[in-house]
Amino acid sequence: HLAEAHISLAISLMLNEWDWINSEKEFKIGIDLNPNYATGHHWYSQWLLYHGRFDEALNEISLAIELDPVSQGIVKDKGIHHYYHREYDEAIATGLQVLELNSGFAPAHRLLSLAYAGKGLFNKAIGANQKWGELTRNRTKTEVSLVQIYAASGLKSQAARMIKNIESGDLGANDIRGMALVYAALNENDMA
């Protein structure tokens, strides 16, 4: 009868098993048990976002923020919702709001980098990406993200040169996904 246990099970089913039906069931049970549990609404909003149910997802993440307005992760994820819906101004405003809570919160800089790039503000995207890299100290992810920005901005020759250095390194699953996005932006569909 613990909301937290049902939400934890829901997250595990969602992220580890991709069991969408049972994960939603567990989210609903957890939220019914404790409708004031911000994390439950937060993670259920992610589930809804993955399923393209944007309005419901935005309602859930907004409720999570009402319940925990100083949670940097929850507020940042509202910005991610806006980013995925191509509402870049809202995503930028949300990223800046998170930085008011904590200027050193690395995921907010990543959100800003994505949103600036989406809006075509590539110099700002590069600056936010650099700050994200400084805070996370993850050189590979920072370089992959930088190449994505270069490719999207039309600096295709610079992106192509950088790819060679990155591919010789140790790439994780998210890095490989990032490289697929780079190749797509370079119109190299077979490589993507």
Side-chain angles (χ1 to χ4, degrees):
H1 298 286
L2 291 174
E4 295 84 351
H6 285 280
I7 297 301
S8 294
L9 178 57
I11 293 166
S12 179
L13 290 168
M14 178 178 79
L15 297 178
N16 299 324
E17 305 293 329
W18 294 8
D19 182 346
W20 304 111
I21 292 169
N22 287 313
S23 62
E24 183 178 33
K25 181 180 105 181
E26 292 298 328
F27 277 124
K28 288 181 176 181
I29 291 170
I31 289 169
D32 284 344
L33 287 169
N34 184 356
N36 294 320
Y37 183 43
T39 300
H41 294 284
H42 175 203
W43 281 101
Y44 184 46
S45 76
Q46 298 296 311
W47 188 99
L48 292 163
L49 183 65
Y50 296 156
H51 287 83
R53 294 164 55 183
F54 181 75
D55 291 338
E56 293 172 81
L58 194 57
N59 287 338
E60 286 293 321
I61 195 76
S62 296
L63 180 54
I65 290 171
E66 283 179 32
L67 295 168
D68 191 355
V70 295
S71 169
Q72 300 153 35
I74 293 174
V75 176
K76 185 269 303 175
D77 277 352
K78 185 173 185 180
I80 292 292
H81 282 64
H82 288 302
Y83 169 76
Y84 282 131
H85 206 61
R86 296 184 176 162
E87 297 172 345
Y88 301 124
D89 288 331
E90 291 86 348
I92 291 166
T94 304
L96 294 173
Q97 179 185 356
V98 174
L99 292 180
E100 287 177 18
L101 295 170
N102 178 356
S103 63
F105 189 63
H109 293 283
R110 176 67 177 140
L111 167 61
L112 286 170
S113 177
L114 292 167
Y116 286 139
K119 193 168 171 146
L121 301 171
F122 298 112
N123 286 335
K124 286 187 171 192
I126 290 168
N129 186 69
Q130 181 179 0
K131 183 65 176 175
W132 174 62
E134 290 168 6
L135 291 168
T136 63
R137 296 184 179 154
N138 189 320
R139 185 172 175 240
T140 301
K141 285 186 183 359
T142 305
E143 287 182 359
V144 169
S145 298
L146 182 60
V147 174
Q148 289 174 355
I149 295 167
Y150 283 166
S153 71
L155 298 172
K156 296 182 189 257
S157 62
Q158 286 176 302
R161 278 194 306 271
M162 290 180 72
I163 287 172
K164 292 181 187 349
N165 292 335
I166 293 171
E167 286 180 332
S168 65
D170 185 26
L171 299 177
N174 282 333
D175 304 322
I176 293 168
R177 178 187 55 86
M179 291 302 292
L181 295 173
V182 169
Y183 284 119
L186 294 172
N187 295 319
E188 294 186 29
N189 297 332
D190 290 339
M191 286 299 291

